[in-house]
Amino acid sequence: MKIIGCDFHPSFQQIAMVDTETGEQTERRVTLAEAVEFYRGLAGPVRVGMEACGNTLWLERLLAELGHELWLGDAGKIRAMEVRKQKTDRRDAELLLRLMLEGRFPRLWVPSQEQRDLRQLLIHRHKLVGMRRQVKNQLQHLALNQGVQQKRKLWTQAGRKLLEELPLTGWTARRREESLQLLDDLDHRVGELDGAVEQAAKKDPVAQLLKTHPGVGPITSLAFALTLGDVGRFAHSRQVVSYLGLNPSEHSSGGRQRLGAISKQGNPMVRSLLVEAGQSAARLVPELKRAYQRLKHRKHSSVAKVMVARKLAVRLYWMWKTTTAFNRHSHAG
């Protein structure tokens, strides 16, 4: 078998390879143009290990077509295993190869192509929603400059009429008109994507199960299911909380515990969706509402929102783990 440590870059790859049968070792840099021929020229069983990063889908498809095995590793854990401060492409490739040969490679779970495509649907919607938020902020700014403070009422039919009737001239008027056009266009596009997400959630049994929890809609349920992928990867809920970046950062020493803000090491889109869904759940589920109000008065509303998001993530995990729909009595407390 040929085992390869691949330090991936968009324009080239640094390769460290060993043939376990002959013991032959190879080092070389493979450019983007050479990559296809290089991997096609490898005979016999081939295993490639590299850090999980972006822009690698084409390589993953190529290796799958050629029958080569690909291992994606946790970049943070891989970097922590190198104690020396010298970092070069050659050393990175050698480290990947060494970890694979020693059986210490921190391999990650990889979603299927269908799951990845659905993730792109959710990411695209999330980005467009962010763009729409920016356009709305611009329109709020224009209104405030004219002494009009409507907040959310600005997006009602009466608020839209008020925006259109503001006495603006020149480039300010053009900014308003084009911002309103952008807002209408984004509303239409997001609406289409919402429908696509709803259809995808209906076909996903896990998303349908998670939707039974009050406040959780098709977007949050599908995003949660696609991000965790396989619930069997997580032995307990603490791992899920950590995976989503909802656990507190910690710097404890000498018997003294110091906890900070949440780590934010997980998927930011899913984390924001859980925070939004948590607000809806806190209005509908009495025990979540009590917990939210208690922490809001003790600390701050933002801290309480994150707490509810964490509780919601734990609830969804156990619903999935036990394949049990939401039951108000079983989730009390």
Side-chain angles (χ1 to χ4, degrees), residues 120-137:
Q120 290 300 313
L121 166 63
L122 291 168
I123 292 171
H124 184 44
R125 179 199 172 274
H126 186 68
K127 295 296 184 182
L128 290 187
V129 169
M131 292 168 62
R132 183 175 63 180
R133 187 183 305 114
Q134 290 179 344
V135 173
K136 284 186 173 182
N137 288 341

Side-chain angles (χ1 to χ4, degrees), residues 210-221:
L210 301 183
K211 274 179 59 180
T212 61
H213 192 290
V216 177
I219 297 169
T220 302
S221 61

Side-chain angles (χ1 to χ4, degrees), residues 41-189:
L42 298 177
V46 176
R47 179 179 296 159
V48 180
M50 65 181 186
E51 294 181 357
C53 57
N55 307 317
T56 62
L57 187 57
W58 67 270
L59 180 58
E60 295 177 38
R61 288 174 177 166
L62 173 64
L63 296 176
E65 290 172 3
L66 297 175
H68 299 337
E69 187 179 7
L70 173 64
W71 286 11
L72 294 177
D74 187 313
K77 291 181 179 179
I78 291 172
R79 178 46 41 198
M81 293 179 184
E82 178 56 89
V83 295
R84 294 183 63 180
K85 296 298 183 181
Q86 291 79 16
K87 183 185 185 303
T88 65
D89 296 336
R90 182 179 176 183
R91 288 182 60 83
D92 287 346
E94 291 174 348
L95 173 63
L96 292 168
L97 177 60
R98 186 170 69 250
L99 293 176
M100 295 179 73
L101 292 173
E102 296 174 355
R104 298 190 296 127
F105 188 81
R107 191 178 180 186
L108 295 174
W109 171 82
V110 179
S112 66
Q113 290 297 326
E114 182 182 2
Q115 288 173 319
R116 288 188 173 193
D117 193 50
L118 287 175
R119 284 183 176 188
Q120 290 300 313
L121 166 63
L122 291 168
I123 292 171
H124 184 44
R125 179 199 172 274
H126 186 68
K127 295 296 184 182
L128 290 187
V129 169
M131 292 168 62
R132 183 175 63 180
R133 187 183 305 114
Q134 290 179 344
V135 173
K136 284 186 173 182
N137 288 341
Q138 292 186 49
L139 289 169
Q140 285 279 12
H141 173 70
L142 290 176
L144 287 172
N145 266 341
Q146 300 300 315
V148 176
Q149 186 177 17
Q150 293 289 309
K151 296 184 179 180
R152 292 186 178 181
K153 292 182 180 179
L154 195 62
W155 315 123
T156 63
Q157 187 174 356
R160 174 62 177 255
K161 184 179 180 182
L162 187 61
L163 265 175
E164 293 173 345
E165 293 176 350
L166 288 176
L168 305 179
T169 58
W171 288 106
T172 308
R174 178 169 175 174
R175 182 185 178 190
R176 172 187 57 188
E177 292 169 7
E178 294 187 355
S179 295
L180 288 172
Q181 291 173 5
L182 278 173
L183 181 60
D184 292 339
D185 183 53
L186 289 170
D187 279 338
H188 175 71
R189 293 178 185 274

